[in-house]
Amino acid sequence: MTGLYFDFNATTPLSPKSKIAIKQRLEQFANPSGKYRLSQSLHTLIHDTKESIAQLMGGSAERIIFTSGGTEGNNLALHSVFSQLSVNQLSRYHAICSAIEHSSILEPLRWYQKQGLKLTIIDPGKTGRVDQDALCRAITPQTCLIALMVINNETGVIQPYEALASQLKGKGIHLHLDAIQAVGKWPMYCPDDIPLTVTFSGHKFYAPKGIGGLYYSSQVKICPLLHGGGQEQGLRSGTENTLGIAGLAAAAEEACEELIQRLYHCQEMRKYIINQLDISTIKYHLNGETNPEYQAPWTLNISFPGVRAEALANRLDLCHGISVSLGSACSNNSQTPQRSHVLLAMQSPHAYIDSALRISFGHVTERQEIDVLVNALKQEIQNLLAIAGE
């Protein structure tokens, strides 16, 4: 068994510095809200971590709220827009999102739709990229929100978030960016001249699970989901997760220092995987962008015609100890197996969807690991095709 991991879009391992930072804080058990000296270093930790995250996001530290992660952050952003409207007013308003958004965006928006909100869902092109002009053409005088993910979690396709933000200047429309697959891995800039919210999650870039956040521009009013102790400027009550924040601080500092170097490494590894697949003569189809400008280099969504993705992923795991994904880790919790809503929106043939794996990796991935993966893929695809009589 090799024990190789290729599901970095689902979660990442803790970085060595993140582990050290957490261990160093284990004895600092004080409540950050305390007024005594034991709490002062934790006050400083929270402040300094926001400064590091602000560097990663190109925004202001005082407008970062810590949350439990991406799902809470996305829900908080949407709640902040719609909770300012009474239920009987929702029918007067309109929202836009893409069909490839994460369920923590799509499900709340569909809930608000049931309460009366008008909702337009825009399909991407066949490469998985949403046209910003299509988003803008959907705007009506009633539009109050557009939600767009920065990088799709299943395909790694980079969406036109910067162009959209520029087009929304002066329109007064709230733009929410789900940047959970981007912050800590991709250069970001958060403009302050539009109503803007941006979510991030620490465990996507080598920090612990259970810590993430929401950035909001000066033109946004945040309406809390959680009420109580008044932490986070009264916008997110609950005792701060100081161990998680310590790990997040270390991971953010590392990401700031190494972002470009990590990107270059992932670009080289993605090219290497594709080259090795070509050499192996494995039949495959890439789902996503062929233009590298629009494709996150750490993600491949790849179909292997003639095999079922579930069977291939299981054999890679059980026979080789290799972890890959069928798509979003969150959607795997569904009681009823469903085809990927992302690939369906891209109009991918069902045969491609049913044979699609997501292979995602990080700056710690090495060529030797890719060689093992490709050899295992070749072996197990041959086995499955033989079982199917092909």
Side-chain angles (χ1 to χ4, degrees):
M1 287 273 193
T2 54
L4 298 183
Y5 184 72
F6 287 94
D7 199 16
F8 279 67
N9 281 17
T11 194
T12 56
L14 282 175
S15 74
K17 288 185 179 179
S18 188
K19 289 180 183 178
I20 291 170
I22 292 169
K23 288 177 182 177
Q24 289 175 339
R25 297 283 177 173
L26 286 174
E27 300 302 321
Q28 294 181 303
F29 61 88
N31 191 313
S33 297
K35 300 301 181 183
Y36 31 74
R37 284 182 295 170
L38 278 177
S39 297
Q40 291 308 305
S41 65
L42 299 175
H43 282 296
T44 303
L45 168 67
I46 291 169
H47 174 269
D48 291 349
T49 304
K50 289 186 178 182
E51 291 287 350
S52 296
I53 293 292
Q55 278 188 283
L56 275 182
M57 300 181 71
S60 177
E62 60 264 24
R63 288 198 290 277
I64 291 172
I65 305 167
F66 286 133
T67 67
S68 62
T71 295
E72 183 188 340
N74 283 338
N75 276 263
L76 175 57
L78 299 181
H79 174 76
S80 294
V81 174
F82 298 118
S83 66
Q84 298 181 59
L85 313 173
S86 61
V87 174
N88 60 6
Q89 285 184 313
L90 274 176
S91 61
R92 303 178 190 176
Y93 291 90
H94 173 242
I96 303 166
C97 72
S98 82
I100 59 171
E101 297 301 308
H102 190 269
S103 58
S104 60
I105 291 290
L106 287 171
E107 290 188 21
L109 283 177
R110 285 173 177 148
W111 185 87
Y112 284 112
Q113 185 181 29
K114 290 177 182 177
Q115 313 309 310
L117 176 72
K118 296 180 178 68
L119 177 63
T120 299
I121 300 177
I122 305 294
D123 284 334
K126 291 187 177 181
T127 64
R129 197 163 195 262
V130 180
D131 180 4
Q132 77 264 21
D133 291 332
L135 290 165
C136 290
R137 285 195 299 271
I139 294 173
T140 73
Q142 290 76 42
T143 303
C144 60
L145 168 82
I146 298 179
L148 181 68
M149 58 180 14
V150 174
I151 299 176
N152 184 262
N153 54 303
E154 292 194 28
T155 63
V157 175
I158 301 164
Q159 304 303 321
Y161 64 99
E162 291 179 310
L164 179 61
S166 180
Q167 286 185 290
L168 291 181
K169 287 181 183 178
K171 289 185 167 62
I173 297 172
H174 186 120
L175 175 61
H176 175 63
L177 299 178
D178 173 346
I180 291 161
Q181 292 291 340
V183 173
K185 299 192 286 186
W186 187 255
M188 287 286 299
Y189 169 68
C190 298
D192 199 47
D193 53 1
I194 62 170
L196 175 74
T197 46
V198 184
T199 41
F200 67 90
S201 185
H203 76 102
K204 303 297 186 180
F205 60 98
Y206 310 95
K209 298 168 186 64
I211 185 67
L214 178 71
Y215 173 86
Y216 62 100
S217 71
S218 60
Q219 299 189 35
V220 170
K221 177 185 177 183
I222 297 297
C223 299
L225 275 171
L226 304 176
H227 300 269
Q231 291 87 351
E232 292 296 276
Q233 311 158 55
L235 302 177
R236 201 278 186 177
S237 290
T239 302
E240 293 91 342
N241 175 7
T242 49
L243 292 180
I245 291 169
L248 179 66
E253 289 166 10
E254 287 180 296
C256 285
E257 295 169 2
E258 302 174 12
L259 191 66
I260 302 305
Q261 176 184 338
R262 291 178 179 184
L263 270 175
Y264 177 75
H265 178 82
C266 288
Q267 287 168 352
E268 292 302 304
M269 290 302 99
R270 192 174 195 275
K271 290 176 186 175
Y272 187 70
I273 291 179
I274 293 172
N275 182 62
Q276 294 306 103
L277 286 169
D278 290 338
I279 292 172
S280 74
T281 69
I282 295 172
K283 292 182 180 179
Y284 70 91
H285 173 80
L286 287 177
N287 305 302
E289 269 289 346
T290 55
N291 184 345
E293 183 181 352
Y294 303 142
Q295 178 66 50
W298 55 82
T299 306
L300 291 95
N301 191 297
I302 186 166
S303 297
F304 300 98
V307 303
R308 294 286 301 189
E310 299 97 322
L312 180 54
N314 285 338
R315 288 190 69 88
L316 289 173
D317 184 17
L318 296 175
C319 301
H320 303 271
I322 295 174
S323 302
V324 296
S325 172
L326 304 183
S328 169
C330 300
S331 65
N332 292 340
N333 294 323
S334 174
Q335 297 299 312
T336 306
Q338 297 176 339
R339 288 191 171 104
S340 161
H341 75 284
V342 173
L343 297 184
L344 284 171
M346 292 165 57
Q347 300 179 42
S348 297
H350 285 184
Y352 282 175
I353 299 175
D354 294 342
S355 65
L357 294 182
R358 182 183 68 183
I359 298 170
S360 53
F361 48 90
H363 69 281
V364 296
T365 305
E366 299 177 352
R367 287 177 183 245
Q368 301 94 306
E369 296 175 302
I370 291 170
D371 291 337
V372 174
L373 170 65
V374 173
N375 287 334
L377 281 168
K378 184 175 182 178
Q379 179 181 333
E380 296 309 331
I381 289 169
Q382 288 174 346
N383 288 337
L384 289 169
L385 289 175
I387 292 169
E390 297 184 23

